[in-house]
Amino acid sequence: MSHSYRHVRFPESGERITVVDGRLHVPDEPIVGFVEGDGIGPDITRACLRVWDAAVAKAYGGKRKIHWCETYLGEKAAGIYDGSYFPDETLEALRELIVSIKGPLTTPVGGGFRSLNVAVRQELDLYACVRPVRHYAGVPSPLKRPDQVDVVIFRENTEDVYAGIEYKSGTPENEKLAKFLREEMGAKFFEGAGLGIKPISEFGSKRLVRKAIQYAVDNGRESVTLVHKGNIQKFTEGAFRNWGYELAREEFANVTITEEQLYGEFKGKQPEGKIVIKDRIADIIFQMMQLRPAEFDVLATPNLNGDYLSDAVAAEVGGVGIAPGANIGDHIAVFEATHGTAPKYANMNKVNPGSLLFSGVMMLEYMGWKEAADIITLTYPEVIKDGIVTYDFARQIDGATEVGTSQFADAIIERINGGVDLEAKRRALQEQLVKERKQREIRRLLQPLEEMIDTGRIPHTVRDLMTHTLITVADSETVHDAMHLMADNEVSSLVVERNAQGQWGILTRRDIVTKIVKANRSPMTTKVGDIASRPVKSVPADTPIREAAEILSELNFSRLTVSQGDDLIGIVTETDIFRAVEKFGWAGEEVA
Ligand code: NAP
């Protein structure tokens, strides 16, 4: 060991986890750290250690084994290290061990203490707070389809309003800053306002988004959504979004496409092996996680929104009591229960070990031990289905059998060893996933605008609004035939194929009214070429909506064709713009 410790005892057997060529290297018998935690910590840690060990033994038949190394924080640390809740050597051990898991810690009340959890995050620069939220069959939930919730939230952990740059109303610092903002920056705000600064950097945003995309790649996920409030906070939250897209282009170009490309270039069909990068405004994501959770997969968010979102989504599928979490830096990772120490239940063998248990599942996945992780994920619902639950679920499930923490662990271990057909369960889950992806794809192909509206995507360019299915006629067809074509396809315009001069044309219902009825001509004998409007006004697919509106009103047109290179790929109409604005409103200016 590179460091000599006073109280931490590394196990005699087992090897250290290392980082080789920038990747985590996990030996078959790694040493992994744990902190028991305070309050209910010892009860849940004891129970979970047994379940994790049983899952590893079952998955690898003795070929792999974790050697646990206890480290100390909180009250237990204070007892051992002369009153210190946060001993330096624990920090050193967590750094050296690279992978650790911890129970909840008491935050000592009274001056001078920062939260131990926050201290660990800051000292080890664990910049990503990762919270997977999914539903397990049988767990009580207020949603109609809780099974559709399966997201992993990557919340930025170091910046944003959590940076602690705040100035209390009435202090000289506050007054100095207020004066500067008013006099030199032209800012306007009420007298005596408390002031806080929200720093969001390119470095901080990109390293977080990099982790989220890498996770999606490693775990075969479908999409990464950048969550932000960039329509209001353009240069912080909006910048987070822009840097996120930029990072995807710079570092993951061969494995990612944007949602624009998905709907445009790929017409709604997600190419094999590509992850879709999309973004959603923060308030919309809260709605969507209730209405259409299946649309979301990995979410990357700045600090404050991520804080709210992780708890809100966790509450949809069983509450924070079973939601797991981790704080992860470049390699060092500390997995942790997300609830507190619930002191009133300490040492009563009563509470739900779910949160810590699934934090351990995340840890096994992080180590690349997916088989062991899956065993727990697939066995857990079996126990719940049999009605064996701790008090917190028992009060929500009729006819359940309430058991203690350690008996709950026993029930899981019994099923791990008792041969649940894991392979069949895994296959069934995979088939379900493929089926749902296919259904989403069909909806995107058939009704792109409706899908966009229903999934909360805000349109930015004409590509987002246009009708993709172009119905074309030739100049030589009769107007009569063209009218049938419009009626049968329920469209109000047709694209007229290029004429000898190479110009596209358009034939609209209004052309029929003015150039046939009003002009008193016969649709049976008049040819499309005689009345089609030419040349059409075409705009490139990435034209912003506001610019398209400007062109429409200047030319007094009701539709524009949309081009990509030399090809026409769609039509965008006044009605399309109207519907989008009716649905999403108009912010006045788009996110840059
Ligand atoms: P808490 O410990 O999370 O407990 C609040 C309530 O949540 C409990 O009374 C219980 O609800 C339920 N609960 C928590 N864990 C549960 C479990 N494993 N199984 C079933 N139910 C569970 O929050 P708190 O009382 O606000 O905080 C207590 C201490 O924990 C404080 O010192 C705080 O600073 C600390 N804390 C630590 C962490 C951390 O280490 N990560 C996080 C939050 C708070 P019922 O009463 O309804 O049964």
Side-chain angles (χ1 to χ4, degrees), residues 134 136 139 317-324 338 352 354-355 358 380 392-393:
R134 53 164 294 192
Y136 294 92
V139 172
V317 290
V320 289
I322 65 158
T338 54
N352 193 340
S355 176
F358 289 115
Y380 179 87
D392 51 326
F393 283 4

Side-chain angles (χ1 to χ4, degrees), residues 125-129 154-160 163 198-213 226-227 235-237 239-247 250-251 300-303 328-330:
D125 195 22
L126 307 178
Y127 55 82
C129 173
F154 281 74
R155 164 187 165 200
E156 205 289 324
N157 230 350
T158 63
E159 302 195 288
D160 201 343
K198 176 185 175 93
I200 288 196
S201 69
E202 177 173 354
F203 172 75
S205 303
K206 284 190 170 173
R207 69 178 178 171
L208 186 270
V209 175
R210 181 181 297 117
K211 269 223 158 349
I213 299 181
L226 307 167
V227 178
F235 309 123
T236 48
E237 300 263 334
F240 173 85
R241 165 193 181 269
N242 294 346
W243 284 319
Y245 278 118
E246 198 172 287
L247 177 105
E250 288 166 351
E251 297 182 19
T301 101
N303 209 339
I328 305 181
D330 277 336

Side-chain angles (χ1 to χ4, degrees), residues 40 44 102-109 117 121 320-322 336-345 350-355 390-392 395:
I40 55 174
I44 58 175
K102 68 181 247 322
L105 298 169
T106 308
T107 295
V109 197
N117 299 304
R121 265 170 235 169
V320 289
I322 65 158
E336 66 176 11
T338 54
H339 53 69
T341 56
K344 65 182 173 187
Y345 298 127
K350 184 172 172 75
V351 297
N352 193 340
S355 176
T390 44
Y391 83 96
D392 51 326
R395 62 193 175 190

Side-chain angles (χ1 to χ4, degrees), residues 275-570:
I275 292 159
V276 176
I277 310 292
K278 48 189 179 182
D279 74 281
R280 291 293 183 273
I281 302 286
D283 39 46
I284 290 176
I285 204 80
F286 278 85
Q287 285 182 47
M288 287 298 138
M289 281 312 300
Q290 296 179 52
L291 302 175
R292 297 282 290 259
E295 299 291 335
F296 301 97
D297 211 337
V298 175
L299 304 171
T301 101
N303 209 339
L304 180 63
N305 283 321
D307 191 357
Y308 300 153
L309 190 64
S310 350
D311 278 2
V313 180
E316 288 183 357
V317 290
V320 289
I322 65 158
N327 292 296
I328 305 181
D330 277 336
H331 295 288
I332 301 176
V334 177
F335 297 82
E336 66 176 11
T338 54
H339 53 69
T341 56
K344 65 182 173 187
Y345 298 127
N347 304 316
M348 288 171 65
N349 185 37
K350 184 172 172 75
V351 297
N352 193 340
S355 176
L356 190 66
L357 184 67
F358 289 115
S359 301
V361 169
M362 284 174 80
M363 183 182 79
L364 292 168
E365 284 170 351
Y366 187 75
M367 290 161 55
W369 293 15
K370 190 162 170 24
E371 300 78 10
D374 280 356
I375 285 182
I376 300 174
T377 310
L378 296 169
T379 316
Y380 179 87
E382 297 296 307
V383 180
I384 307 288
K385 229 173 16 203
D386 290 346
I388 300 173
V389 291
T390 44
Y391 83 96
D392 51 326
F393 283 4
R395 62 193 175 190
Q396 299 178 66
I397 305 176
D398 284 339
T401 309
E402 183 183 329
V403 296
T405 312
S406 68
Q407 289 71 33
F408 185 79
D410 292 341
I412 295 188
I413 293 168
E414 198 179 295
R415 279 159 188 77
I416 287 177
N417 294 328
V420 175
D421 187 350
L422 295 171
E423 206 33 61
K425 286 192 175 302
R426 207 173 279 140
R427 260 199 319 275
L429 272 180
Q430 190 56 30
E431 279 164 16
Q432 178 71 12
L433 202 72
V434 170
K435 197 172 122 204
E436 283 174 5
R437 281 188 182 185
K438 197 85 220 154
Q439 285 168 348
R440 284 197 287 281
E441 189 165 288
I442 290 169
R443 285 199 302 267
R444 284 197 302 266
L445 284 165
L446 291 182
Q447 33 178 250
L449 182 60
E450 286 77 2
E451 255 327 87
M452 186 174 71
I453 290 169
D454 288 349
T455 63
R457 181 167 169 231
I458 300 228
H460 298 291
T461 62
V462 293
R463 188 205 292 278
D464 298 335
L465 300 181
M466 69 185 191
T467 308
H468 292 266
T469 25
L470 287 185
I471 300 169
T472 57
V473 284
D475 273 352
S476 56
E477 311 255 357
T478 64
V479 171
H480 173 80
D481 286 346
M483 287 170 69
H484 274 311
L485 206 56
M486 278 193 214
D488 292 347
N489 290 286
E490 296 178 6
V491 293
S492 60
S493 59
L494 298 173
V495 170
V496 186
E497 287 168 10
R498 287 184 208 258
N499 62 9
Q501 289 76 47
Q503 292 174 328
W504 294 96
I506 203 157
L507 182 71
T508 65
R509 289 185 178 176
R510 188 196 280 186
D511 289 330
I512 309 295
V513 174
T514 55
K515 298 178 188 169
I516 295 289
V517 184
K518 184 176 158 221
N520 211 14
R521 295 166 84 176
S522 159
M524 302 294 277
T525 54
T526 311
K527 300 286 188 215
V528 167
D530 298 335
I531 65 163
S533 309
R534 275 205 173 88
V536 291
K537 178 65 191 170
S538 228
V539 294
D542 55 5
T543 305
I545 294 166
R546 205 196 55 75
E547 211 174 298
E550 198 171 291
I551 297 169
L552 282 172
S553 74
E554 262 168 26
L555 301 177
N556 197 21
F557 281 3
S558 60
R559 72 203 66 225
L560 299 169
T561 49
V562 180
S563 61
Q564 188 165 292
D566 281 344
D567 295 328
L568 280 195
I569 58 166

Side-chain angles (χ1 to χ4, degrees), residues 45-334:
T45 302
R46 217 175 299 122
C48 289
L49 286 170
R50 290 196 291 122
V51 178
W52 298 325
D53 284 345
V56 170
K58 177 74 180 179
Y60 308 113
K63 201 177 148 290
R64 285 178 168 170
K65 179 179 186 309
I66 293 176
H67 296 259
W68 297 101
C69 174
E70 181 164 13
T71 63
Y72 309 96
L73 284 167
E75 284 163 3
K76 191 163 181 181
I80 298 173
Y81 294 87
D82 314 318
S84 167
Y85 281 77
F86 190 70
D88 285 344
E89 74 166 29
T90 299
L91 210 53
E92 194 47 48
L94 295 178
R95 205 175 269 132
E96 187 163 349
L97 289 161
I98 301 180
V99 175
S100 326
I101 188 157
K102 68 181 247 322
L105 298 169
T106 308
T107 295
V109 197
F113 282 110
R114 56 182 171 165
S115 148
L116 294 175
N117 299 304
V118 174
V120 170
R121 265 170 235 169
Q122 285 177 347
E123 297 291 334
L124 299 174
D125 195 22
L126 307 178
Y127 55 82
C129 173
V130 187
R131 299 272 294 268
V133 188
R134 53 164 294 192
H135 184 249
Y136 294 92
V139 172
S141 160
L143 290 192
K144 273 201 200 122
R145 291 284 313 271
D147 57 299
Q148 294 192 336
V149 179
D150 184 3
V151 293
V152 184
I153 302 171
F154 281 74
R155 164 187 165 200
E156 205 289 324
N157 230 350
T158 63
E159 302 195 288
D160 201 343
V161 289
Y162 291 69
I165 312 175
E166 281 205 305
Y167 302 97
K168 191 176 171 186
S169 172
T171 60
E173 293 81 5
N174 175 294
E175 275 158 27
K176 191 169 173 183
L177 180 60
K179 186 168 149 58
F180 169 75
L181 288 173
R182 288 202 178 93
E183 292 177 10
E184 296 193 37
M185 309 298 283
K188 290 190 170 61
F189 46 89
F190 288 124
E191 209 48 57
L195 297 173
I197 303 277
K198 176 185 175 93
I200 288 196
S201 69
E202 177 173 354
F203 172 75
S205 303
K206 284 190 170 173
R207 69 178 178 171
L208 186 270
V209 175
R210 181 181 297 117
K211 269 223 158 349
I213 299 181
Q214 188 61 52
Y215 177 89
V217 171
D218 293 343
N219 292 279
R221 292 286 187 147
E222 197 178 337
S223 66
V224 174
T225 305
L226 307 167
V227 178
H228 61 93
K229 189 70 189 165
N231 54 336
I232 303 299
Q233 301 167 51
K234 293 188 174 45
F235 309 123
T236 48
E237 300 263 334
F240 173 85
R241 165 193 181 269
N242 294 346
W243 284 319
Y245 278 118
E246 198 172 287
L247 177 105
R249 276 197 306 275
E250 288 166 351
E251 297 182 19
F252 294 94
N254 52 349
V255 286
T256 58
I257 57 169
T258 62
E259 197 174 30
E260 291 222 320
Q261 286 176 296
L262 174 66
Y263 278 90
E265 215 170 295
F266 300 101
K267 304 222 169 10
K269 190 167 170 51
Q270 184 158 352
E272 197 64 37
K274 301 275 189 198
I275 292 159
V276 176
I277 310 292
K278 48 189 179 182
D279 74 281
R280 291 293 183 273
I281 302 286
D283 39 46
I284 290 176
I285 204 80
F286 278 85
Q287 285 182 47
M288 287 298 138
M289 281 312 300
Q290 296 179 52
L291 302 175
R292 297 282 290 259
E295 299 291 335
F296 301 97
D297 211 337
V298 175
L299 304 171
T301 101
N303 209 339
L304 180 63
N305 283 321
D307 191 357
Y308 300 153
L309 190 64
S310 350
D311 278 2
V313 180
E316 288 183 357
V317 290
V320 289
I322 65 158
N327 292 296
I328 305 181
D330 277 336
H331 295 288
I332 301 176
V334 177

